[in-house]
Amino acid sequence: MASCMGISRAAVWKQIQRLRTKGYEIESSTRKGYRLARIHDLLDADIICEGLRTKWLGKDLRCFKEVCSTNDVARSIARECQNGTVVLAETQTRGRGRLSRPWASPPGGIWMSLVLKPKISLDRAYRINMAVSVAVTRSLCALYDLDVGIKWPNDLLIEGRKVCGILMEISAEVDCVDWAVVGLGINANIDVSGFPVEWRSTSLRQELGQEVSRIDLIQKILLEVEETYQSMHSKDLYEEWRRRSVTLGKQVRITSATGDLSGEAIDLAEDGALVIRAEDKIKRVLAGDCIHLRAPGET
Ligand code: BTN
């Protein structure tokens, strides 16, 4: 190896040690050399960046073995870091979901936060959510031919089970977004059988019967986000978000700060609102937690 690369044995050894500290299992044998014990899918910034075809998203990409929450790390650097910085971790000790719920983040998932600095007013920020949820849905459909739908506002489901959650956190001046941190939790190669049943979770591995390459998926998602982000204010993006919705036409219950509301989801407005027919009144909901209720006779 040393003569092939034109470096000393000590230099090879140093690089092997560096890979081992990153988590690669490398066997060594006197006179034979080194051997990778198994194919790894570790989140390695060099490997992800090598195959990344984006222009600006993920150009600063930081991978960690363990953090409390990638959103917290991203928020702490958001002011100084460049637009499009990405934070990834193998595990999170205090992963957060919407409404401050805990988000289970064992090894094998994709726990990733994007720092975005769009030049938009706060009232257009919901478009970032639209762009990201459409981009991740596109990626999952394209890579694995899965039937993925968006549950309002931005959970990704496969046959009613959640495979991805998105948590956007924003800092804004009077009327202008300073930065947005968009956290993606994707149940990739994880076992969700121990998760509470009410979470109705699934994973890509469970759906496909085999592991996915997290690196390929991350590269694809970043490329798609870059594209949808550029066109986030377009009618096409809104229409695609609406078309990919699995909430439209469903009986739903929305829980929000102002209380509960049940009815039929009859439309998704261009401003991201869910339009509900409840006891013959039409109501618009801009934020809240949505549960799909079973229609009478549905199992
Ligand atoms: C939800 O559906 O409630 C949103 C879940 C978002 C989870 C992701 S995992 C990466 C990032 N870091 C966090 O602490 N949360 C988000």
Side-chain angles (χ1 to χ4, degrees):
M1 210 186 270
S3 60
C4 260
M5 298 172 80
I7 55 175
S8 68
R9 280 166 176 229
V12 172
W13 181 84
K14 212 167 143 195
Q15 291 306 321
I16 296 287
Q17 293 310 103
R18 197 173 72 88
L19 290 172
R20 281 178 173 151
T21 58
K22 280 186 171 188
Y24 289 94
E25 286 166 43
I26 299 170
E27 295 165 353
S28 56
S29 162
T30 25
R31 282 198 298 275
K32 283 190 187 156
Y34 300 102
R35 193 178 71 149
L36 200 55
R38 62 186 178 88
I39 302 294
H40 290 263
D41 185 40
L42 288 172
L43 301 180
D44 182 320
D46 295 336
I47 295 178
I48 297 171
C49 290
E50 206 177 276
L52 190 60
R53 302 279 163 260
T54 57
K55 293 192 188 78
W56 54 271
L57 186 55
K59 290 297 153 188
D60 179 357
L61 189 141
R62 309 180 191 191
C63 293
F64 299 89
K65 262 192 190 153
E66 183 178 285
V67 293
C68 50
S69 151
T70 55
N71 264 37
D72 290 349
V73 175
R75 288 171 60 125
S76 71
I77 58 169
R79 195 166 284 280
E80 318 90 73
C81 73
Q82 69 189 62
N83 178 36
T85 297
V86 173
V87 178
L88 276 152
E90 292 286 355
T91 56
Q92 301 182 114
T93 52
R94 267 187 301 138
R96 292 184 283 111
R98 294 193 308 120
L99 307 174
S100 307
R101 291 188 185 122
W103 182 264
S105 321
I110 296 176
W111 324 123
M112 167 162 81
S113 300
L114 319 177
V115 182
L116 301 169
K117 301 187 178 184
K119 291 190 174 39
I120 57 171
S121 59
L122 189 54
D123 62 351
R124 304 287 292 170
Y126 65 90
R127 286 276 172 166
I128 306 172
N129 259 331
M130 265 185 203
V132 174
S133 53
V134 166
V136 181
T137 309
R138 276 190 198 170
S139 306
L140 297 177
C141 295
L143 287 182
Y144 315 118
D145 199 19
L146 286 167
D147 191 5
V148 182
I150 304 173
K151 177 166 85 90
W152 185 89
N154 51 12
D155 284 348
L156 304 194
L157 307 187
I158 301 173
E159 285 179 23
R161 301 198 164 271
K162 182 160 167 173
V163 71
C164 169
I166 300 174
L167 173 68
M168 181 167 76
E169 298 178 293
I170 284 190
S171 163
E173 299 299 322
V174 183
D175 190 34
C176 160
V177 170
D178 194 8
W179 50 256
V181 165
V182 186
L184 298 170
I186 303 174
N187 299 335
N189 301 323
I190 67 169
D191 179 10
V192 294
S193 62
F195 287 9
V197 275
E198 63 275 16
W199 288 6
R200 293 183 63 80
S201 304
T202 190
S203 70
L204 294 174
R205 185 174 71 186
Q206 181 167 308
E207 294 300 321
L208 298 165
Q210 63 181 54
E211 302 225 328
V212 297
S213 158
R214 292 183 301 164
I215 291 175
D216 289 352
L217 180 53
I218 290 164
Q219 289 166 343
K220 175 73 175 159
I221 288 172
L222 295 179
L223 191 62
E224 289 289 347
V225 170
E226 198 174 83
E227 193 183 316
T228 56
Y229 185 81
Q230 308 296 357
S231 60
M232 74 167 134
H233 301 296
S234 72
K235 183 117 184 147
D236 280 358
L237 183 85
Y238 155 69
E239 281 169 357
E240 183 173 347
W241 178 71
R242 192 177 181 284
R243 202 171 52 245
R244 291 189 184 274
S245 166
V246 287
T247 299
L248 265 184
K250 288 257 176 16
Q251 291 296 322
V252 295
R253 184 170 65 241
I254 308 296
T255 310
S256 67
T258 52
D260 281 12
L261 178 67
S262 297
E264 188 191 354
I266 57 167
D267 203 2
L268 286 162
E270 277 204 56
D271 63 357
L274 180 65
V275 184
I276 296 176
R277 186 187 293 119
E279 293 165 0
D280 282 335
K281 286 203 180 75
I282 306 296
K283 306 222 162 136
R284 284 165 43 84
V285 196
L286 271 164
D289 204 35
C290 171
I291 296 174
H292 288 173
L293 303 171
R294 295 194 203 292
E298 200 181 326
T299 52

